């Protein structure tokens, strides 16, 4: 009974603006707001595309339907037919006058009301995902990924599907999630990189979009325990070429969002001007220069310390453009990176920091291709060789220069949407304190 054929079917709310006053239309959705006074009920109906004000007058539809509309609670679902009319006061300048109202699913008193604590919203995330903010963020995120995929396709990257269960750490042991794998130890993947390195020797240019897992003990507005990781790996590309690919990819994501999601950014209160102002190429600053400038500004950082949340914020606060931090000292970064031939204490690597204090959104590098050098480095860092044997094999069978990087999707969403906390960049956030719902 409730299924409608596509032909006779209800229209999406966003399409109603194109309906001439006086025409009839049917919409369906969820009750966003409702208010009644005597013989008139005003309902704001929400669907996936927007909201519309609907006026329901006693006498304008059968009495039992009027009563159903009056009784319909917030987040009940309904199908409503009516005539479009102009109303200056209504959002969008149009409203609907109902001639028929049918409740589809009645909602119990909705647990989320106007002013709610962050904790309550997180406990009710399965319902809060219906909010206009979450709806807008998810749409922006989808466009970020769409822009990326379009660019990747145009540039001959092949999408691949690496495993999530692994026996080796890609990014070091401190943030590994360990699990029992049929009686053996295994881990949830921190990064698909090593598998992508294997695959790029078959396919040339590859990418994957997977969840990555980090047992981050830090509570920061930019760390999740589970996040979506867009990773690229390119054969025959050096660190400089890798940065150029990152620039183009990030620009393609931004352009897609600016093209398709202006309404959503506006709803989120995100000023688009700084996003429009982003230009490639992005500036390159070496780690040494960055540390010097931080120390010059009175920050307590020594050469050789990794850049953390505070340092990255300081480096990008008030800055309009993304910036690459290059040439990190070896002790800051992972063993798989390519040694700088001009200075063996440095790696050929780069982190891309988003402007306005958002900080790192990409980590990348050229990869070490020298088998013996890799083994020596692993020994120095007390890394067990055995689980990495297959990875080292890649250096024994026709290795070539190659590079790659990983972009934290929620980090990019946080920047582009201008979100205070990364947990709002993912519908069901997993953090140190939260794995429900
Ligand atoms: O800098 P990371 O640790 O680099 C790697 O994992 C490389 N193996 C990637 C590669 O070369 N294929 O992580 C890459 C990106 C970071 O720049 C950040 O955007 C994101 O992943 N990221 C996180 N996002 C949310 N929560 C966390 N706990 C994150 N840890 C890293
Ligand atoms: Mg990093």
């Amino acid at each position: 009974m409730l299924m409608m054929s596509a032909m006779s079917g209800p229209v999406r709310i966003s399409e109603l603006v194109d309906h001439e006053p006086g025409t009839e239309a049917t919409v369906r959705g969820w009750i966003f707001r409702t208010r009644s006074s005597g013989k008139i009920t005003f309902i704001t109906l929400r669907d996936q595309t927007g909201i519309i004000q609907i006026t329901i007058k006693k006498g304008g539809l059968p009495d039992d339907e009027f009563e159903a509309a009056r009784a319909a609670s917030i987040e009940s679902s309904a199908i409503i037919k009516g005539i479009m009319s102009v109303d200056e006061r209504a959002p969008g300048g149009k409203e609907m006058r109902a001639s028929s109202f049918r409740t589809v699913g009645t909602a119990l008193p909705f647990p989320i009301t106007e002013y709610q604590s962050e904790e309550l919203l997180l406990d009710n995330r399965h319902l809060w995902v219906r909010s206009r903010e979450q709806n807008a963020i998810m749409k922006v995120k989808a466009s970020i990924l769409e822009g990326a995929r379009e660019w990747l396709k145009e540039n001959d990257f092949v999408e691949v599907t690496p495993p999530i269960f692994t026996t080796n750490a890609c990014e070091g042991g401190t943030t590994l999630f360990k699990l029992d794998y049929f009686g053996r130890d295994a881990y949830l993947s921190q990064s698909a990189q090593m598998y992508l390195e294997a695959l790029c020797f078959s396919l040339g240019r590859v990418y994957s979009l997977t969840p990555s897992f980090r047992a981050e003990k830090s509570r920061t507005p930019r760390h999740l325990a589970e996040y979506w990781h867009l990773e690229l790996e390119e054969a025959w590309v050096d660190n400089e070429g890798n940065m150029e690919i990152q620039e183009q990819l990030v620009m393609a994501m931004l352009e897609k969002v600016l093209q398709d999601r202006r309404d959503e950014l506006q709803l989120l209160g995100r000023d688009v001007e700084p996003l429009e102002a982003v230009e490639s190429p992005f500036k390159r600053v070496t780690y040494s220069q960055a540390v010097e400038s931080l120390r010059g500004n009175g920050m307590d950082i020594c050469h050789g310390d990794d850049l953390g949340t505070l340092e990255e914020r300081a480096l990008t606060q008030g800055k309009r453009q993304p910036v690459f931090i290059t040439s990190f000292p070896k002790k800051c970064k992972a063993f798989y990176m390519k040694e700088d031939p001009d200075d063996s204490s440095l790696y050929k690597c780069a982190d891309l920091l988003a402007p306005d204090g958002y900080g790192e959104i990409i980590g990348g590098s050229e990869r070490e291709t020298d088998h013996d050098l890799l083994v020596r480095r692993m020994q120095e860092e007390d890394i067990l060789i055995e689980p990495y044997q297959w990875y080292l094999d890649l250096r024994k069978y026709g290795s070539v220069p190659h590079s790659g990087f990983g972009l934290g999707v929620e980090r990019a969403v946080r920047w582009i949407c201008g979100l205070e906390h990364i947990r709002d960049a993912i519908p069901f956030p997993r953090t140190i304190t939260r794995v429900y719902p």
Side-chain angles (χ1 to χ4, degrees), residues 162-166 170-171 175-177 187-196 208-216 223-231 405-410 426 430:
I164 299 296
F165 289 131
T166 68
C170 184
E171 295 300 317
T175 63
L176 272 182
F177 276 107
Y187 309 96
L188 292 178
S189 171
Q190 297 169 308
S191 163
Q193 178 196 320
M194 292 179 168
Y195 296 98
L196 299 190
S208 62
L209 177 63
T210 64
S212 275
F213 301 88
R214 305 280 169 109
E216 297 277 1
H223 284 97
L224 292 166
E226 175 182 297
Y227 69 96
W228 285 82
H229 207 170
L230 180 63
E231 294 180 274
F405 62 89
L407 175 143
V409 176
E410 288 76 18
I426 188 161
R430 269 76 183 101

Side-chain angles (χ1 to χ4, degrees), residues 157-323:
F157 280 81
V158 180
E159 182 164 8
V160 293
T161 55
I164 299 296
F165 289 131
T166 68
T167 53
N168 49 270
C170 184
E171 295 300 317
T174 54
T175 63
L176 272 182
F177 276 107
K178 189 168 164 182
L179 54 94
D180 174 40
Y181 190 80
F182 305 113
R184 270 182 294 167
D185 285 347
Y187 309 96
L188 292 178
S189 171
Q190 297 169 308
S191 163
Q193 178 196 320
M194 292 179 168
Y195 296 98
L196 299 190
E197 285 188 57
L199 296 169
C200 84
F201 289 176
S202 169
L203 294 162
R205 292 176 155 206
V206 295
Y207 77 96
S208 62
L209 177 63
T210 64
S212 275
F213 301 88
R214 305 280 169 109
E216 297 277 1
K217 297 288 176 348
S218 46
R219 287 192 208 209
T220 76
R222 53 181 216 152
H223 284 97
L224 292 166
E226 175 182 297
Y227 69 96
W228 285 82
H229 207 170
L230 180 63
E231 294 180 274
L232 279 64
E233 198 71 29
E234 314 110 17
W236 311 105
V237 170
D238 64 7
N239 191 48
E240 185 54 40
N242 197 34
M243 285 191 276
E244 287 164 15
I245 289 171
Q246 292 168 53
E247 283 166 344
Q248 291 182 30
L249 180 70
V250 169
M251 291 308 291
M253 293 169 149
L254 267 179
E255 276 157 24
K256 191 73 182 177
V257 171
L258 288 170
Q259 180 190 307
D260 290 353
R261 297 299 180 195
R262 285 177 179 265
D263 291 350
E264 286 74 12
L265 292 175
Q266 190 185 2
L267 187 140
L268 294 167
R270 175 54 153 131
D271 183 5
V272 295
E273 194 272 328
L275 298 176
E276 288 169 334
V278 173
E279 284 178 337
S280 63
F282 305 149
K283 200 168 158 190
R284 281 101 165 113
V285 171
T286 66
Y287 168 88
S288 288
Q289 290 167 334
V291 168
E292 247 170 69
S293 91
L294 288 170
R295 289 175 62 90
N297 289 326
M299 282 193 87
D300 182 24
I301 181 171
C302 299
H303 193 94
D305 294 348
D306 200 4
L307 305 177
T309 304
L310 287 179
E311 289 79 21
E312 288 182 9
R313 194 182 302 147
L315 285 170
T316 59
Q317 201 94 63
K319 296 274 165 38
R320 308 257 300 160
Q321 297 295 332
V323 59

Side-chain angles (χ1 to χ4, degrees), residues 280-407:
S280 63
F282 305 149
K283 200 168 158 190
R284 281 101 165 113
V285 171
T286 66
Y287 168 88
S288 288
Q289 290 167 334
V291 168
E292 247 170 69
S293 91
L294 288 170
R295 289 175 62 90
N297 289 326
M299 282 193 87
D300 182 24
I301 181 171
C302 299
H303 193 94
D305 294 348
D306 200 4
L307 305 177
T309 304
L310 287 179
E311 289 79 21
E312 288 182 9
R313 194 182 302 147
L315 285 170
T316 59
Q317 201 94 63
K319 296 274 165 38
R320 308 257 300 160
Q321 297 295 332
V323 59
F324 284 114
I325 310 294
T326 66
S327 303
F328 280 76
K330 282 183 175 166
K331 70 179 208 187
C332 294
K333 293 288 180 194
F335 71 93
Y336 53 69
M337 294 186 177
K338 172 90 177 164
E339 189 174 290
D340 185 340
D342 300 326
D343 181 342
S344 64
S345 72
L346 305 177
Y347 280 140
K348 289 180 75 180
C349 65
D351 281 359
L352 181 64
L353 312 189
D356 291 321
Y358 288 102
E360 180 186 341
I361 58 169
I362 292 182
S365 71
E366 190 169 333
R367 318 305 192 187
E368 187 55 74
T369 48
D370 183 321
H371 175 272
D372 297 347
L373 207 58
L374 269 179
V375 170
R376 220 176 314 136
R377 228 178 263 159
M378 293 171 79
Q379 284 165 342
E380 278 162 20
E381 295 184 25
D382 285 329
I383 297 168
L384 276 181
I385 304 286
E386 211 266 325
Y388 296 89
Q389 207 57 64
W390 70 266
Y391 180 70
L392 291 167
D393 262 4
L394 302 176
R395 276 73 190 162
K396 295 188 206 159
Y397 300 97
S399 184
V400 300
H402 62 291
S403 301
F405 62 89
L407 175 143

Side-chain angles (χ1 to χ4, degrees), residues 35-107:
R35 137 179 97 83
S36 287
S37 59
K39 295 188 166 146
I40 189 159
T41 291
F42 297 100
I43 280 178
T44 305
L45 195 76
R46 164 184 75 73
D47 74 0
Q48 68 272 30
T49 65
I51 56 174
I52 176 94
Q53 178 176 298
I54 298 169
T55 304
I56 300 143
K57 268 194 190 142
K58 196 169 168 73
L61 67 175
D63 275 354
D64 59 327
E65 296 186 20
F66 176 76
E67 285 311 319
R70 208 157 64 111
S73 50
I74 299 281
E75 288 303 322
S76 292
S77 47
I79 299 174
I80 308 172
K81 190 157 80 181
I83 305 291
M84 293 310 297
S85 80
V86 176
D87 181 355
E88 304 287 280
R89 292 156 302 174
K94 283 198 181 156
E95 68 155 13
M96 178 184 259
R97 306 217 164 130
S99 58
S100 144
F101 182 99
R102 193 162 77 238
T103 306
V104 178
T106 300

